[in-house]
Amino acid sequence: MSIPSRFSAEPGSRRGLSVAFVAGSMLALAASSPSMADDWQDRSTMTGDWEGNRSRLAAQGVKITGDYSGETVYNAHGGKQRGTRYSQNIKLGAQFDLGKLFDLESGGRIQLTINDRRGNDGSGDLVGNRLPVQENYGGLYTRLTELSYENTLFTPALNVKLGYLAMGNDLGGLTSGILCNFMNAGFCGHPLAMSGGSGWSNYPNAHLGGTAKYRFTPNFALQVAAYKVDAASNGDSSRAWHVTPKDSTGNILPIEAIYNVLGAMPGEYRVGYYYDTSDAPRIGTSKQVGGREGSYFLMDQDIWNSTDVMGRNVHMFAQFSNASAAAAPFRRWYSAGFALKKPFVSRPNDTVAIGYGRAVFNSRSRDVQENAALANRQDFPDLASGEGLVEMTYGAQVAAWLTIRPSLQYIIEPGAFYGEDIDNTLILGLQVKATL
């Protein structure tokens, strides 16, 4: 349910106001520094070094982090109605290096992260589509989103992470961040067919679990994981601070191979498979499916480096994911696109990105929709098999800690997943990201 822009006092809102107060306090602290106006473009974080206290804490083993993202979208054509919607995400974290804190040779790290989301739903209110036009919308409350311990085991090549965290933090995504040059959640983050067709969880939805990653060579690594499936807790504000599952239905077990291309034209390739042991309804029947599985492929490859302008390059990305035919309404997702770094000599950290993606609706789910319409003597629209998306963005890094990104999204067949005939939609967006 959308939260009004005036932020009425709904469950969890007091904690949300607390997070907002903390963020505001950080801003006030930064503003009180005499050097705020002098180095605001060059500083790595908006609030700076807190008169050296931030660096001293990090040297002692406590690293404080914070991020803000705000996304505004306007429906310029098509969809359900004209209008503007805004959503935001604030993430505050602390990493504790136990080796530094307790003078241990290999103490590992504890990560604590709290997340708060507020705002209104551009896709639900304005478009009526499946692929969210704001990647930071959803779960509008303050929550614990990570409490984990990470360390090497037996050998530096084996890294293990255990605790309460979103499995998508380590699996099913590209470390380069190329996909988050976009605002639409279809691109930014992970292929939505994973979470739309299994117990896969992405940030900020956290569950108990762990990941083990072994790096065989500088180029190749393999990781396996196991996480509790607890769909009942996703988006439930009453579970915001509960680490244990509310109603676990099973475990999800992914395995992922990672290949890195090193050198002048770097690249990253990931191939993964996952199995969810939970029973799930078989689409179109009253029976259950004993387990769900899926697979995916992700790539990011530097394909061109300018010989005239140092730092100017083009990366190509691609995604493909395949979910359970028997139990996943979101059957497949595929996308491809390009990102140009340093489009102008005077703008060395800016990025232009363009991408196309398509979400394929399960034909069994479409049959259910059509049969329901016929049973009610209603006409069913002639719809495509899925929803398409084209997005183009320009990311302007106006300071080391601040990126402003205008976005243009064109949604094709927005109502394909919901059996509704909705006009193709043009969305104008603006994203603001700040490292606090």
Side-chain angles (χ1 to χ4, degrees):
M1 180 176 67
S2 297
I3 291 183
S5 58
R6 61 182 179 276
F7 301 149
S8 58
E10 296 185 7
S13 63
R14 291 186 178 85
R15 292 193 182 100
L17 291 174
S18 298
V19 170
F21 175 77
V22 171
S25 299
M26 294 172 72
L27 288 173
L29 180 64
S32 66
S33 171
S35 62
M36 176 67 178
D38 298 332
D39 66 349
W40 74 274
Q41 283 188 303
D42 298 326
R43 57 174 58 198
S44 59
T45 62
M46 181 177 69
T47 58
D49 199 31
W50 310 341
E51 298 183 349
N53 290 314
R54 199 171 196 167
S55 294
R56 281 191 287 273
L57 281 171
Q60 294 167 6
V62 181
K63 182 180 179 181
I64 307 297
T65 60
D67 297 281
Y68 160 85
S69 70
E71 297 179 349
T72 303
V73 293
Y74 169 71
N75 182 358
H77 173 78
K80 295 169 64 176
Q81 62 173 330
R82 300 289 174 274
T84 303
R85 297 293 184 269
Y86 166 81
S87 61
Q88 69 175 40
N89 184 90
I90 295 175
K91 179 173 67 173
L92 303 176
Q95 186 180 94
F96 302 92
D97 187 326
L98 302 186
K100 291 181 178 179
L101 286 169
F102 300 106
D103 196 24
L104 301 174
E105 183 176 348
S106 181
R109 296 182 298 274
I110 293 175
Q111 177 66 48
L112 171 67
T113 306
I114 296 173
N115 186 83
D116 180 76
R117 286 185 168 183
R118 306 284 146 175
N120 301 95
D121 184 5
S123 280
D125 295 344
L126 306 178
V127 186
N129 69 320
R130 175 62 179 83
L131 304 172
V133 296
Q134 300 149 291
E135 56 83 20
N136 68 3
Y137 179 81
L140 305 181
Y141 54 92
T142 308
R143 73 179 84 191
L144 174 68
T145 196
E146 183 168 349
L147 180 58
S148 67
Y149 175 74
E150 181 178 5
N151 203 349
T152 56
L153 184 65
F154 306 129
T155 167
L158 178 60
N159 184 271
V160 176
K161 182 186 290 188
L162 302 168
Y164 180 74
L165 66 162
M167 61 186 294
N169 289 1
D170 300 286
L171 296 131
L174 293 167
T175 56
S176 66
I178 186 173
L179 295 171
C180 285
N181 284 302
F182 300 93
M183 269 182 62
N184 193 290
F187 291 121
C188 183
H190 310 78
L192 294 181
M194 298 176 181
S195 55
S198 73
W200 187 288
S201 67
N202 290 322
Y203 182 89
N205 291 317
H207 300 298
L208 287 176
T211 303
K213 179 179 179 180
Y214 189 85
R215 182 159 292 281
F216 292 88
T217 70
N219 300 85
F220 179 71
L222 185 70
Q223 57 183 356
V224 295
Y227 284 83
K228 298 300 292 183
V229 176
D230 181 24
S233 292
N234 294 342
D236 183 353
S237 60
S238 69
R239 304 290 302 170
W241 304 95
H242 291 263
V243 173
T244 55
K246 177 182 180 180
D247 185 20
S248 178
T249 57
N251 301 288
I252 185 165
L253 311 169
I255 180 170
E256 182 180 84
I258 307 167
Y259 182 77
N260 297 103
V261 178
L262 307 177
M265 301 186 75
E268 180 182 0
Y269 296 80
R270 295 190 179 220
V271 179
Y273 168 85
Y274 56 90
Y275 182 76
D276 180 356
T277 64
S278 309
D279 291 340
R282 181 181 292 273
I283 297 172
T285 74
S286 59
K287 300 179 180 180
Q288 295 281 308
V289 174
R292 297 171 289 180
E293 61 183 354
S295 57
Y296 58 90
F297 167 78
L298 310 169
M299 65 157 283
D300 168 24
Q301 178 62 54
D302 184 349
I303 60 172
W304 177 76
N305 291 328
S306 173
T307 56
D308 300 321
V309 181
M310 182 176 297
R312 177 178 291 170
N313 57 63
V314 174
H315 276 242
M316 177 182 177
F317 71 86
Q319 301 171 293
F320 174 79
S321 61
N322 184 61
S324 168
F330 199 137
R331 184 73 174 88
R332 294 188 181 91
W333 164 257
Y334 52 88
S335 71
F338 302 90
L340 168 65
K341 182 72 178 293
K342 199 175 181 179
F344 307 104
V345 174
S346 61
R347 305 296 307 167
N349 297 311
D350 290 3
T351 304
V352 177
I354 185 169
Y356 169 79
R358 182 169 176 78
V360 179
F361 191 47
N362 195 321
S363 60
R364 300 186 186 191
S365 298
R366 176 58 54 77
D367 290 341
V368 171
Q369 292 176 343
E370 292 180 350
N371 291 335
L374 289 173
N376 293 319
R377 298 182 179 180
Q378 297 174 344
D379 292 332
F380 192 83
D382 183 16
L383 299 172
S385 61
E387 177 181 332
L389 164 67
V390 179
E391 183 175 4
M392 183 174 182
T393 68
Y394 184 96
Q397 188 169 337
V398 298
W401 52 269
L402 177 64
T403 300
I404 298 176
R405 178 174 289 112
S407 164
L408 185 69
Q409 301 180 45
Y410 189 67
I411 314 298
I412 305 165
E413 289 277 11
F417 272 69
Y418 305 112
E420 299 180 15
D421 188 8
I422 300 175
D423 290 341
N424 294 349
T425 308
L426 179 64
I427 295 292
L428 308 180
L430 182 66
Q431 180 187 72
V432 178
K433 285 188 172 182
T435 303
L436 304 177

